[in-house]
Amino acid sequence: MKDNFSVQAAAYAAFRPHYPQELYDFLYSLPIPKDTAWDCATGNGQVAAVLAKVYKKVYASDISAAQLQHAPKLPNISYLTCPAESTPIPDKSIDLVTVAQAVHWFQFDKFNQEVRRMLRPHGWLAIWGYGLLQTDDEGLNNLIQQFYAHTLGPYWDAERRYIDEKYTSIPFPFKETTTPELNIAVDWTRQQFLGYLSSWSSVQHYLRQNGESPIPAFEGLLQNRWPSDKSIGLRFPVFMQLGQV
């Protein structure tokens, strides 16, 4: 698994969008005990902190110690610095495994084996992610798409295609269940939006290769369409795969 986010861990914690409550309510509705959950590739602990409100015990793992430094410290969360494919979590000890916006970095077969090892009978695996953000302004959508696909196109890791394909091409050898259609909705100023862009791995790759960030030039294109003092409604389409052993 690659570590693309330690360098911009602070930006990731500050600007990454939060998942809607409807997503967690759906997971809580699954017919399993609310005993132990594992949030894999937890990053800054965003999902783990919400699961900890309902689950008695939450393991939250990540390969990035820098990311985990930004995670909330709660008494029923145990943070682990380890890869997704090999953890110290005991066999048959987990009711629910969650992976948010990260499974595309994994070694799929080894991760699935690890899930099978630790899930209790009838336990669940939920993997989800979100696609490129959208607005009701088609002109702004076109600018964002141009920046995403053309300016940054060569700088995305190959694994980014799994996000574009909504995880449909990732091996998922579990008994699948239908999931609801969800979106992440935010109201952001231009500066918040640019802060979010700074957390993109492709922006960091661009910076390292060119010695400068692509964001200032992109901001210049936004100025006429997005005043600095104006908040705009944005939505991220969420996709999910849910399966049971």
Side-chain angles (χ1 to χ4, degrees):
M1 179 178 175
K2 297 179 181 178
D3 180 4
N4 275 342
F5 302 101
S6 287
V7 172
Q8 68 271 33
Y12 198 99
F15 296 109
R16 284 285 164 144
H18 289 254
Y19 302 106
Q21 185 60 41
E22 291 85 354
L23 185 152
Y24 296 106
D25 290 342
F26 173 68
L27 293 178
Y28 297 154
S29 73
L30 297 175
I32 49 173
K34 306 302 184 289
D35 186 13
T36 309
W38 171 35
D39 184 42
C40 183
T42 194
N44 56 36
Q46 179 192 132
V47 173
V50 180
L51 293 177
K53 297 176 181 179
V54 172
Y55 278 78
K56 296 176 183 177
K57 172 74 174 180
V58 176
Y59 292 100
S61 66
D62 205 278
I63 61 170
S64 172
Q67 283 268 52
L68 294 178
Q69 289 177 1
H70 294 274
K73 305 303 184 284
L74 297 173
N76 60 333
I77 299 180
S78 292
Y79 289 104
L80 307 170
T81 305
C82 60
E85 300 83 3
S86 178
T87 78
I89 298 172
D91 292 358
K92 306 303 179 187
S93 63
I94 301 296
D95 300 300
L96 173 68
V97 178
T98 58
V99 189
Q101 196 76 352
V103 76
H104 52 284
W105 301 115
F106 296 176
Q107 298 177 58
F108 303 133
D109 290 343
K110 290 184 177 181
F111 170 69
N112 288 332
Q113 289 174 9
E114 187 72 350
V115 170
R116 289 186 180 278
R117 177 185 71 78
M118 66 180 62
L119 272 182
R120 292 180 173 132
H122 310 297
W124 295 82
L125 168 65
I127 63 173
W128 69 86
Y130 54 88
L132 186 63
L133 73 174
Q134 302 167 359
T135 78
D136 292 330
D137 181 336
E138 282 306 311
L140 185 55
N141 285 339
N142 290 337
L143 288 175
I144 294 171
Q145 179 65 35
Q146 181 78 13
F147 183 68
Y148 172 81
H150 296 283
T151 302
L152 294 177
Y155 300 93
W156 285 108
D157 291 271
E159 292 87 347
R160 180 69 193 187
R161 71 177 180 86
Y162 294 116
I163 294 284
D164 294 333
E165 294 164 357
K166 301 179 180 180
Y167 285 174
T168 56
S169 56
I170 288 180
F172 196 77
F174 302 94
K175 182 181 178 181
E176 288 196 59
T177 297
T178 302
T179 60
E181 186 173 315
L182 299 166
N183 288 282
I184 302 170
V186 297
D187 286 298
W188 277 349
T189 64
R190 193 174 75 208
Q191 287 307 310
Q192 287 174 303
F193 169 63
L194 296 173
Y196 162 69
L197 295 186
S198 73
S199 73
W200 282 6
S201 58
S202 58
V203 168
Q204 299 304 314
H205 293 332
Y206 186 106
L207 176 61
R208 283 193 290 271
Q209 292 187 38
N210 296 283
E212 62 180 8
S213 171
I215 291 178
F218 181 52
E219 183 177 14
L221 299 175
L222 296 177
Q223 288 178 350
N224 291 335
R225 190 170 289 275
W226 193 341
S228 60
D229 59 346
K230 180 182 179 182
S231 293
I232 288 183
L234 303 164
R235 62 188 177 277
F236 297 81
V238 176
F239 46 88
M240 175 185 285
Q241 286 183 296
L242 177 69
Q244 191 175 29
V245 296

